[in-house]
């Protein structure tokens, strides 16, 4: 009797698990799979439906088990307000594609899972079709190193404040350099994910143009090799806590350096683009389409951007 009850429970849990993962359940197939009658499978389905109904009342999770006549099988129908709309998912997919941050395989997996998990079943084919051409022509970055396998490892080290070690293959030089780092934040900019961290056990006089620079060093995550988390904790006083949101506003192209102010004259057509590019920018004055703008920034990355604007910008 006990074995029979356990068999029923395992069968119902198996069906429930597959339903919640978006699978279609056919009574005849399930009966053959478990060696029982279709009536037994029907009773399992009714138990699952009752459980989902109770869950909707007690926990506010509206999952409905329905029989879909178009496919002649049972499936879970989730409330559409818990899913993303077509507009939202298309916008998100377009942003991810344009970032070019992942390998083609990683990108495909991310898009497939987003659509499967976040889009109502009835809309999935339409969204997939709208993404098909851009996915086909997706171009990976030159450096095809994977980053996803490092993201959670780094995230755990940041949240738990563990010192990490890795070899770093910089843009200049062919020999990787070993680093011990206190990881502070993961950021994204211009195609790449970056790690901000405080480097340890290094001769700052030799390694840094400004040995007194207290701001973190920036590492491109795809250039990190042999990453490991040590057993050593580090601590940061609350008053010195790294605020990546504030830092991100002031850094261009992930070039670190001193905090500085820049002031320039802009005579282009879209001053909004300048303000969007430099979140700390403020218009000091305006005279017949000629704007004087001031911004607070970190490092020398801003100089690259200013030069790229040609004669539309004059540094003051």
């Amino acid at each position: 009797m006990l074995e029979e009850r356990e068999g029923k429970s395992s069968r119902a849990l198996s069906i429930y698990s597959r339903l919640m993962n978006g699978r279609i359940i056919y009574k005849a197939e399930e009966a053959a799979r478990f060696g029982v009658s279709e009536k037994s499978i029907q009773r399992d389905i009714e138990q699952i439906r009752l459980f989902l109904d109770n869950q909707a009342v007690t926990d506010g999770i509206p999952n409905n088990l329905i029989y879909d006549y178009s496919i002649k099988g049972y499936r879970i129908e989730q409330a559409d307000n818990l899913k993303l709309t077509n507009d939202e998912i298309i916008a998100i997919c377009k942003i991810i594609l344009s970032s070019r941050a992942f390998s083609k395989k990683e990108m495909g997996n991310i898009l497939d899972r987003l659509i499967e998990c976040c889009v109502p079943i009835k809309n999935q084919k339409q969204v997939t079709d709208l993404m098909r051409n851009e996915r086909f022509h997706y171009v990976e970055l030159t450096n095809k190193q994977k980053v996803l396998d490092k993201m959670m490892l780094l995230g755990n080290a940041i949240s738990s404040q563990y010192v990490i070690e890795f070899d770093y293959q910089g843009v200049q030089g062919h020999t990787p350099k070993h680093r011990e780092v206190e990881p502070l934040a993961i950021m994204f900019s211009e195609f790449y994910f970056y790690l901000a961290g405080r480097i340890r056990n290094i001769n700052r006089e030799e390694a840094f143009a400004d040995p007194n620079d207290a701001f973190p060093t920036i590492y491109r995550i795809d250039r990190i090799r042999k990453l490991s988390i040590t057993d050593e904790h580090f601590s940061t006083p609350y008053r010195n806590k790294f605020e990546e949101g504030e830092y991100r506003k002031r850094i261009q192209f992930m070039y670190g350096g001193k905090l500085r102010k820049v002031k320039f004259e802009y005579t282009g057509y879209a001053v909004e683009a300048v303000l969007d590019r430099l979140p700390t920018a403020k218009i000091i004055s305006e005279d017949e389409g000629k704007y004087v703008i001031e911004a607070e920034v970190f490092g020398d990355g801003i100089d690259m951007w200013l030069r790229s604007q040609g004669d539309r910008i004059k540094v003051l």
Side-chain angles (χ1 to χ4, degrees):
M1 193 70 175
L2 179 60
E3 290 181 0
E4 183 180 349
R5 286 200 300 272
E6 289 178 346
K8 288 179 180 179
S9 298
S10 297
R11 189 175 68 229
L13 286 171
S14 173
I15 294 171
Y16 171 78
S17 176
R18 282 177 286 132
L19 281 166
M20 294 305 294
N21 280 285
R23 301 285 291 276
I24 308 300
I25 296 298
Y26 303 97
K27 278 198 299 185
E29 285 186 7
E30 296 303 309
R33 181 198 299 270
F34 293 105
V36 297
S37 68
E38 290 188 30
K39 286 185 177 181
S40 295
I41 300 299
Q42 185 63 50
R43 284 194 291 270
D44 294 336
I45 289 171
E46 293 306 321
Q47 287 180 338
I48 294 170
R49 179 180 282 122
L50 179 61
F51 170 74
L52 292 173
D53 289 345
N54 290 335
Q55 198 176 38
V57 173
T58 58
D59 300 333
I61 303 174
N63 292 315
N64 299 316
L65 177 53
I66 66 166
Y67 182 79
D68 191 327
Y69 288 92
S70 65
I71 55 177
K72 298 181 180 179
Y74 291 88
R75 64 176 177 84
I76 294 291
E77 183 177 65
Q78 294 179 315
D80 285 355
N81 62 359
L82 298 180
K83 299 284 189 174
L84 295 173
T85 66
N86 281 15
D87 293 334
E88 291 167 337
I89 194 64
I90 289 169
I92 291 169
C93 289
K94 289 286 185 179
I95 291 169
I96 294 173
L97 281 162
S98 65
S99 75
R100 295 179 62 202
F102 307 102
S103 69
K104 193 162 188 173
K105 184 177 180 181
E106 288 175 329
M107 181 64 73
N109 288 338
I110 289 170
L111 294 176
D112 287 341
R113 288 172 185 168
L114 270 174
I115 292 170
E116 182 178 351
C117 296
C118 302
V119 180
I121 291 175
K122 65 179 182 291
N123 296 338
Q124 288 181 6
K125 184 179 185 305
Q126 181 184 9
V127 173
T128 299
D129 289 344
L130 286 168
M131 294 293 109
R132 194 180 306 282
N133 185 265
E134 195 166 358
R135 285 183 64 169
F136 179 78
H137 292 289
Y138 179 75
V139 179
E140 297 177 317
L141 296 175
T142 304
N143 188 354
K144 298 180 181 180
Q145 291 292 323
K146 294 180 180 179
V147 295
L148 289 179
D149 57 349
K150 302 184 183 84
M151 299 295 277
M152 199 60 205
L153 196 64
L154 290 170
N156 288 336
I158 291 166
S159 61
S160 301
Q161 294 191 308
Y162 278 110
V163 174
I164 61 173
E165 292 187 18
F166 55 83
D167 291 341
Y168 189 69
Q169 182 64 64
V171 177
Q172 297 179 340
H174 299 286
T175 305
K177 296 178 180 178
H178 188 73
R179 292 287 182 256
E180 291 182 21
V181 171
E182 298 174 1
L184 302 174
I186 295 171
M187 296 181 286
F188 178 81
S189 176
E190 312 291 343
F191 307 132
Y192 303 109
F193 287 98
Y194 294 86
L195 171 72
R198 294 194 178 95
I199 193 168
R200 308 181 71 181
N201 300 326
I202 192 170
N203 188 326
R204 300 183 68 88
E205 297 287 342
E206 294 180 0
F208 291 94
D210 179 12
N212 297 316
D213 184 359
F215 294 101
T217 304
I218 306 297
Y219 300 95
R220 243 175 63 182
I221 291 177
D222 62 307
R223 293 184 175 276
I224 290 176
R225 311 283 190 271
K226 299 180 181 179
L227 172 64
S228 64
I229 300 178
T230 72
D231 295 329
E232 184 180 357
H233 276 283
F234 67 93
S235 61
T236 303
Y238 185 80
R239 66 180 181 278
N240 297 328
K241 183 180 178 183
F242 179 65
E243 299 286 350
E244 60 260 41
E246 291 299 317
Y247 187 73
R248 185 68 186 84
K249 289 183 200 175
R250 293 167 172 81
I251 190 167
Q252 296 294 313
F253 303 110
M254 288 296 157
Y255 276 73
K258 287 183 178 180
L259 185 64
R260 54 189 278 219
K261 283 189 177 181
V262 294
K263 189 176 182 180
F264 55 89
E265 185 180 270
Y266 177 74
T267 54
Y269 296 107
V271 71
E272 294 87 356
V274 177
L275 300 179
D276 290 340
R277 180 75 203 192
L278 307 173
T280 62
K282 295 179 181 179
I283 297 173
I284 305 301
S285 65
E286 188 269 332
D287 181 22
E288 296 183 353
K290 184 183 292 184
Y291 299 87
V292 174
I293 297 173
E294 191 174 77
E296 190 177 61
V297 297
F298 280 109
D300 301 329
I302 183 65
D303 299 323
M304 293 175 57
W305 181 80
L306 291 170
R307 288 195 296 269
S308 73
Q309 300 306 299
D311 59 7
R312 291 174 293 182
I313 279 182
K314 178 184 176 183
V315 178
L316 301 177

